[in-house]
């Protein structure tokens, strides 16, 4: 799987949660219900999720056949 495809899948996995969280948490922060530190924490957690998704998509399980003649795509 190429790097471009892995990036696309990782972003598409995180983007819906990011948009929903930013809308809801921004409104709650402006309303004074949540502290402002929640927003950066959510961004950090989603960034970590995106990186984990990206790296896990690049793994090849033991015994799996490679279809790219062993070329590295990283």
């Amino acid at each position: 799987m190429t790097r471009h495809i892995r990036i696309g899948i990782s972003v598409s996995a995180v983007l819906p949660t990011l948009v929903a969280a930013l809308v809801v948490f921004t409104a709650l922060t402006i309303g004074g219900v949540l502290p402002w530190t929640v927003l950066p924490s959510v961004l950090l957690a989603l960034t970590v999720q995106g990186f984990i998704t990206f790296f896990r998509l690049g793994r090849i399980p033991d015994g799996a056949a490679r279809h790219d003649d062993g070329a590295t795509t990283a």
Side-chain angles (χ1 to χ4, degrees), residues 3 5 10 19 23 25 27 38 41 43 45 47-48 51 58 64 66 69:
R3 179 180 283 185
I5 292 172
S10 299
V19 171
V23 169
F25 289 160
V38 171
S41 300
L43 292 175
T47 302
V48 170
F51 279 128
R66 291 188 70 131
D69 298 326

Side-chain angles (χ1 to χ4, degrees), residues 36-60:
W36 69 270
T37 55
V38 171
L39 290 173
S41 300
V42 170
L43 292 175
L44 177 64
L46 290 175
T47 302
V48 170
Q49 178 190 351
F51 279 128
I52 290 171
T53 302
F54 176 78
F55 288 121
R56 290 197 64 183
L57 286 171
R59 290 188 339 179
I60 298 194

